[in-house]
């Protein structure tokens, strides 16, 4: 006798509207009431179609009552883990047009770098040592209006133009990143600045990453932060003098609920072509007192670190950091003191110190207002040479960090040189 599978009785309940059925649509970013009633078994097809196809609209950009839809402010260590965690997710390639993919995307997280075409530029391989790669391109540029005494100038600065890839080998515990800066920068050696990142990551130890290669040095928090998530166009003075550098090193990064750390040993050279002018040690530890209660009490981070080595002369930098983030409020204080230092501008034997205090309020996932007080003493053995910068900034995250507009006003108050005013308008695009 012929035998057939009995029809599933739940199919009718799932796909057929029932009399007096109440339907709750939980799709994000709806601009209308999603709770409606279907009477007499005949749904409002126009309304139900609108609900099922509703996508992101430009009105959402100005929704001042919107919730903050991201994980807040990540420590550098957490960011390192989050980047590869995001890379591991499944690919969801849309058939939408290139412009439509940008317009309809719902990127709201601002605590990590995001990419407009991440899924389209991710490729899997059946053969060879590499199982998957994600290619990307990033651009940051600014138009600067500068008032200095009676002089006025307008400059355009190509802050970053980068092409790179994240990848994973057939063994999923081994990942890598390779990035280059193809556009020359005035006053620097092209070969030195061409390689931005070139390292391999091993994740076989739980809660740890072992990074080997050319990567960012964790000198301070902002000094070791990715350029793509900086709150302002430029780094604080201690960050750009003491940090914002890379080196060839081996580092171990640990991330736990109440503590994370970053320890590395490597070259004091700041470029791949630098060789080994001397050895360098770098260490950083963060304590997170609220741990798994951060959603309730906010996220409090207390950290400190040391960077020391030899490059022409011995140098040592001590840093301290405290930050608090809760809902729409974000604030931090960072200070550093150096007996010689080796940042992005190269080694210096000066005894310097400085601090930066930042406070920000995020009205919604797209609009943020910030302020910063920043002081730097380039040589503690000289008097009357303090440099202060007061910055007010607005971030418009059109699509998270993937498409962002920045407006900064900076007043520079210098003791031994003319004061100045800067108005900086910047754009960030990440594909």
């Amino acid at each position: 006798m012929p035998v057939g599978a009995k029809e599933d009785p739940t199919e009718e309940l799932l796909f057929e509207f029932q009399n007096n059925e109440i339907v709750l649509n939980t799709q994000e970013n709806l601009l209308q009431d999603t709770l409606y009633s279907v009477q007499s078994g005949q749904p409002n097809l126009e309304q139900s179609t609108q609900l099922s196809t509703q996508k992101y609209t430009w009105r959402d950009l100005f929704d001042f009552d919107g919730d903050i839809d991201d994980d807040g402010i990540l420590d550098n260590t957490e960011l390192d883990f989050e980047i590869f965690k995001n890379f591991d997710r499944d690919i969801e390639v849309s058939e939408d047009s290139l412009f439509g993919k940008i317009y309809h995307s719902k990127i709201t997280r601002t605590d990590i770098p995001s990419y407009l075409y991440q899924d389209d530029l991710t490729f899997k391989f059946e053969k060879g040592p590499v199982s998957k790669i994600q290619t990307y391109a990033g651009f940051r540029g600014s138009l600067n209006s500068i008032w200095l005494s009676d002089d006025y100038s307008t400059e355009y600065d190509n802050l970053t133009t980068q092409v790179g890839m994240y990848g994973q080998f057939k063994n999923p515990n081994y990942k890598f990143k390779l990035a280059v800066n193809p556009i020359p920068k005035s006053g620097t050696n092209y070969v030195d600045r061409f390689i931005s990142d070139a390292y391999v990551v091993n994740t076989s130890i739980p809660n740890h990453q072992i990074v080997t290669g050319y990567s960012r040095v964790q000198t301070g928090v902002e000094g070791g932060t990715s350029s793509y998530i900086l709150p302002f166009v430029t780094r604080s003075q201690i960050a750009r003098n003491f940090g914002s550098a890379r080196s060839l090193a081996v580092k171990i990064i640990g991330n736990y609920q109440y503590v994370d750390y970053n320890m590395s040993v490597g070259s004091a050279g700041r470029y791949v072509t630098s060789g080994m002018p001397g050895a360098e040690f770098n260490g950083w530890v963060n304590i997170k007192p609220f741990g798994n209660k951060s959603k309730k009490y906010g996220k409090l981070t207390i950290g400190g670190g040391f960077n020391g080595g030899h490059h022409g002369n011995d140098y040592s930098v001590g840093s301290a950091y405290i930050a608090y983030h809760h809902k729409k409020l974000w604030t931090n204080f960072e200070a550093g003191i150096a007996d010689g230092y080796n940042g992005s501008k190269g080694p210096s034997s000066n005894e310097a110190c400085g601090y930066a205090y930042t406070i920000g309020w995020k009205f919604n996932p797209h609009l943020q207002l910030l302020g910063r007080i920043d002081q730097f003493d380039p040589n503690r053995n000289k008097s009357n040479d303090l440099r202060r910068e007061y910055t007010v900034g607005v971030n418009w995250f059109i699509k998270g960090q993937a498409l962002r507009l920045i407006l900064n006003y900076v007043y520079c108050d210098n003791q031994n040189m003319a004061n100045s005013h800067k108005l900086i308008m910047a754009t960030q695009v990440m594909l």
Side-chain angles (χ1 to χ4, degrees), residues 169-334:
F169 292 100
K170 284 293 192 290
N171 183 337
N173 285 326
Y174 287 89
K175 300 176 174 66
F176 66 89
K177 182 185 178 184
L178 177 64
V180 298
N181 302 315
I183 306 299
K185 198 170 183 69
S186 176
T188 60
N189 184 294
Y190 180 72
V191 176
D192 282 343
R193 295 194 62 86
F194 179 72
I195 301 295
S196 176
D197 293 288
Y199 59 82
V200 176
V201 179
N202 178 275
T203 59
S204 58
I205 304 175
N207 300 101
H208 286 80
Q209 291 182 350
I210 300 176
V211 180
T212 305
Y214 185 61
S215 62
R216 191 176 292 278
V217 180
Q218 187 66 64
T219 306
V221 173
E222 189 170 339
T225 298
S226 166
S227 300
Y228 296 124
I229 61 171
L230 290 175
F232 299 96
V233 177
T234 60
R235 300 177 192 271
S236 65
Q237 294 183 85
I238 56 173
R240 60 183 185 251
N241 283 280
F242 297 164
S244 189
R246 292 174 169 83
S247 73
L248 284 167
V250 176
K251 66 176 68 172
I252 180 167
I253 306 172
N255 181 28
Y256 292 92
Q257 194 170 74
Y258 290 93
V259 63
D260 55 46
Y261 55 87
N262 184 319
M263 305 289 176
S264 68
V265 177
S267 170
R270 291 305 181 229
Y271 304 104
V272 173
T273 56
S274 298
M276 187 70 174
E280 178 183 68
F281 168 80
N282 192 81
W284 187 271
V285 177
N286 278 328
I287 305 297
K288 299 173 283 187
F290 296 155
N292 60 357
K293 300 294 185 180
S294 60
K295 293 291 185 182
K296 181 178 180 180
Y297 300 113
K299 181 178 179 181
L300 176 64
T301 303
I302 303 171
F306 174 81
N307 171 254
H310 180 87
H311 189 176
N313 54 268
D314 294 336
Y315 60 89
S316 58
V317 180
S319 304
Y321 176 80
I322 182 169
Y324 180 72
H325 171 258
H326 186 52
K327 296 182 179 179
K328 298 181 180 182
L329 172 68
W330 170 63
T331 184
N332 68 38
F333 177 83
E334 182 170 8

